[in-house]
Amino acid sequence: MVKKQSSMVWDMKTMFHCSIIMFFLGGLATLSFYSNSNQEAVSNNIKVTLTTTTTTTTITTDQSNPDTDTDTNTNTNTKMNVDKGAQVFEHQRRLKIAPPSLTETCDLFSGKWVYDNKSHYPLYKEHECPFLHGDLACQTYGRKDSKYQRWRWQPHGCDFPRFGGKAIVERLKGKRLLFVGDSVNRNQWDSMMCMLYSSIPGEKKLGQELNRTLYTFRSNEYNISVDYYWAPMLVESNGDDPSNHRLDHRTIRVKSIEKHARHWVDADILVFNTYLWWRLPIIKLLKGPGSLLGGPNQVYDEIDNVRAYKMVLETWSKWVHNNIDPAKTKMFFMGLTATHSNAKDWGGKKQTTCYKEKEPVTVDGFWESGTDPKMLRNLESSLSKLKAKGVNVQLINITQLTQYRKDAHPTVYRRLWRPLTDEQKANPQRSSDCTHWCLPGVPDVWNELLLAYIFPATETASQLKRENY
């Protein structure tokens, strides 16, 4: 019995040792197989290139052979007799992934203003731009300081292409760039005209059409048209007269946009804006087709401005979706702009405004009380819904960067529509324009950001990275 048990133990030990030996021999066979496979690949001079979005890894089995193919395109003459892993590499090798543009990798709208008297600002001088609107030529109308012209917007962690007039003019050849909106958009159009003026050779013309609703800046030689269309609330409103619109209420026909919009459809680049006219708390909505804007027998509902703004954006979005081909027309919407009419917001005295302010606000994230964030959220929501339908309207979100620039408004240094009263002369704070912007100045930076999106740079943010912002 003892011998039998010993024999069973011996047999188990023998089986265990035999298993170890078989496992070891199997491992040697596997290594030998892969070694032979690698040698076969080497003999065929196989090169595999794997491209990713960030790096390119090249595996070359025969670097000494000058005839080895270095093209990342598929070589149809190559016979790849390798395993499935190599086939995956070859499939990925076919992919051509474009590098992300700067506007995709950098938040251009988060940053700070940096004073830079060595930079290329201002981009032009008032007297060099004969088409500059008189409301905005602040030094022409008596402003003595010029520091407001020399601030550079600096995004956090990256930079954007600064304006180069000749290059932009070449890329605008044969195109119509159209600004649509209120007087802040006209402010930006004036800026764009002045930025381009000295870089466009030959004759330039400034004209007015459609009873001064449409302004055109044109170069026939280059077939460039930079236009502005007055539509302060986008839809029909009691402010549609470009001259006689200084009213104490806002009345709109909320679903009527075609009267204006039929003049926009042939533009190659559309830049929309509407906000300034929505700051009154109550908006009147006309009811029925027989009620005339400004007529004596108007029938209307009164609703709050935020809700009315949302309704008009819905009307505008529907028109854009139905009438504009995004493959042919680039579209942009400018963010809200600050109105520095309450100096208490930045620690100033009560009942004072931006009058005589000469420095920006330096508190990060500063927000003045006249800008309603609910309006901005409505705008962002409208653009997001359009994008989900395949129509991209890029938001140029200048809202935060304008908040800091209480120093850059015309105040009393502008052309006045009517002479100041004695009371206004005694209190210039109350008669100061803290809504529009001196030129050259802040709107020039808006246009630099806009142009970065119209003609996106191929450099990535990492290539334009700077260390000490």
Side-chain angles (χ1 to χ4, degrees):
M1 183 68 178
V2 174
K3 288 182 178 182
K4 186 175 181 179
Q5 290 177 348
S6 299
S7 176
M8 291 177 63
V9 172
W10 173 255
D11 290 341
M12 291 177 66
K13 289 181 177 180
T14 302
M15 291 175 63
F16 177 75
H17 287 299
C18 288
S19 297
I20 293 175
I21 293 171
M22 291 175 66
F23 181 80
F24 177 74
L25 292 175
L28 288 176
T30 301
L31 290 174
S32 176
F33 171 78
Y34 281 110
S35 176
N36 291 335
S37 297
N38 288 337
Q39 290 176 4
E40 183 180 358
V42 170
S43 66
N44 288 328
N45 292 326
I46 294 174
K47 169 185 166 69
V48 178
T49 302
L50 172 62
T51 303
T52 69
T53 56
T54 55
T55 59
T56 300
T57 304
T58 303
I59 306 170
T60 304
T61 56
D62 186 1
Q63 297 178 353
S64 63
N65 188 348
D67 296 327
T68 300
D69 178 25
T70 58
D71 190 357
T72 57
N73 293 325
T74 305
N75 185 347
T76 56
N77 296 323
T78 302
K79 303 293 186 180
M80 297 200 65
N81 186 21
V82 292
D83 61 7
K84 291 183 179 180
Q87 293 177 21
V88 172
F89 283 132
E90 176 63 16
H91 170 71
Q92 294 187 6
R93 190 179 79 163
R94 300 167 187 255
L95 299 178
K96 293 264 187 174
I97 303 175
S101 67
L102 174 64
T103 53
E104 295 172 325
T105 56
C106 174
D107 183 359
L108 300 183
F109 311 116
S110 175
K112 63 182 180 179
W113 290 96
V114 178
Y115 184 68
D116 184 359
N117 61 0
K118 297 181 180 179
S119 71
H120 66 170
Y121 299 105
L123 300 180
Y124 51 89
K125 293 181 172 61
E126 288 181 22
H127 67 273
E128 295 174 349
C129 183
F131 296 155
L132 179 59
H133 200 273
D135 295 7
L136 312 167
C138 299
Q139 293 192 337
T140 299
Y141 286 89
R143 182 163 181 171
K144 302 300 182 184
D145 64 300
S146 60
K147 188 176 180 180
Y148 67 91
Q149 298 179 352
R150 298 185 177 277
W151 292 87
R152 182 184 78 243
W153 176 248
Q154 188 60 67
H156 294 310
C158 57
D159 204 351
F160 60 92
R162 305 295 167 170
F163 178 71
K166 293 183 179 179
I168 295 299
V169 166
E170 289 298 321
R171 301 186 77 173
L172 282 174
K173 274 186 177 180
K175 292 182 171 56
R176 184 191 185 204
L177 167 59
L178 176 61
F179 293 86
V180 176
D182 58 30
S183 56
V184 172
N185 228 22
R186 186 182 66 194
N187 207 163
Q188 186 174 357
W189 169 70
D190 273 297
S191 164
M192 184 67 82
M193 275 198 304
C194 291
M195 289 168 65
L196 295 173
Y197 182 84
S198 62
S199 298
I200 301 177
E203 184 182 14
K204 282 86 66 174
K205 294 182 179 180
L206 181 64
Q208 300 176 6
E209 301 176 17
L210 304 174
N211 193 27
R212 291 185 298 169
T213 298
L214 177 65
Y215 291 77
T216 62
F217 169 71
R218 182 160 182 80
S219 165
N220 289 328
E221 182 178 337
Y222 273 60
N223 192 23
I224 294 174
S225 184
V226 181
D227 301 342
Y228 165 72
Y229 187 94
W230 170 261
M233 304 184 86
L234 296 183
V235 296
E236 290 184 53
S237 77
N238 64 340
D240 285 348
D241 188 315
S243 299
N244 185 24
H245 53 249
R246 287 162 184 79
L247 306 168
D248 59 359
H249 65 280
R250 302 285 181 258
T251 304
I252 62 174
R253 199 181 297 279
V254 71
K255 294 186 178 180
S256 297
I257 195 171
E258 186 60 33
K259 176 184 175 182
H260 297 314
R262 59 195 174 95
H263 301 290
W264 312 339
V265 290
D266 64 339
D268 300 286
I269 305 162
L270 276 168
V271 183
F272 295 98
N273 148 276
T274 183
Y275 170 67
L276 180 62
W277 280 56
W278 298 91
R279 292 181 301 155
L280 292 179
I282 298 297
I283 304 295
K284 296 178 180 180
L285 272 58
L286 284 183
K287 295 174 64 176
S291 186
L292 299 177
L293 280 164
N297 300 315
Q298 291 186 136
V299 179
Y300 56 83
D301 289 329
E302 291 186 347
I303 64 174
D304 69 87
N305 58 343
V306 175
R307 183 182 168 200
Y309 186 70
K310 182 178 181 180
M311 293 171 68
V312 164
L313 288 176
E314 289 172 355
T315 297
W316 169 83
S317 297
K318 185 176 180 180
W319 179 85
V320 166
H321 184 256
N322 292 336
N323 293 276
I324 298 296
D325 181 356
K328 297 180 179 179
T329 304
K330 292 185 177 184
M331 290 173 287
F332 304 89
F333 210 112
M334 303 304 297
L336 321 184
T337 54
T339 55
H340 296 102
S341 57
N342 187 357
K344 284 184 64 179
D345 293 338
W346 57 85
K349 296 180 180 180
K350 292 181 180 180
Q351 298 182 337
T352 59
T353 62
C354 67
Y355 179 62
K356 287 192 174 181
E357 292 289 345
K358 296 181 180 179
E359 297 285 335
V361 177
T362 57
V363 177
D364 189 41
F366 168 79
W367 196 271
E368 58 92 21
S369 58
T371 307
D372 191 340
K374 295 189 292 293
M375 295 282 201
L376 183 59
R377 288 195 293 270
N378 279 339
L379 175 57
E380 291 173 335
S381 176
S382 294
L383 300 188
S384 179
K385 290 176 182 177
L386 268 176
K387 190 172 185 178
K389 296 177 182 178
V391 180
N392 183 36
V393 181
Q394 175 65 49
L395 175 64
I396 307 298
N397 195 359
I398 57 175
T399 304
Q400 184 62 69
L401 67 88
T402 66
Q403 299 291 315
Y404 306 118
R405 294 303 307 274
K406 60 182 174 62
D407 60 310
H409 297 287
T411 65
V412 297
Y413 304 112
R414 53 167 292 173
R415 184 180 65 187
L416 301 172
W417 291 96
R418 44 180 75 91
L420 295 178
T421 65
D422 292 339
E423 181 182 357
Q424 288 174 322
K425 291 177 181 178
N427 188 1
Q429 293 280 356
R430 296 182 64 85
S431 56
S432 285
D433 179 353
C434 297
T435 298
H436 300 98
W437 306 86
C438 290
L439 292 179
V442 172
D444 304 330
V445 174
W446 304 349
N447 280 325
E448 284 189 301
L449 294 168
L450 173 65
L451 290 167
Y453 278 89
I454 295 175
F455 306 118
T458 57
E459 296 89 355
T460 63
S462 61
Q463 289 173 303
L464 292 172
K465 185 81 174 179
R466 291 183 178 181
E467 294 297 328
N468 299 312
Y469 288 159

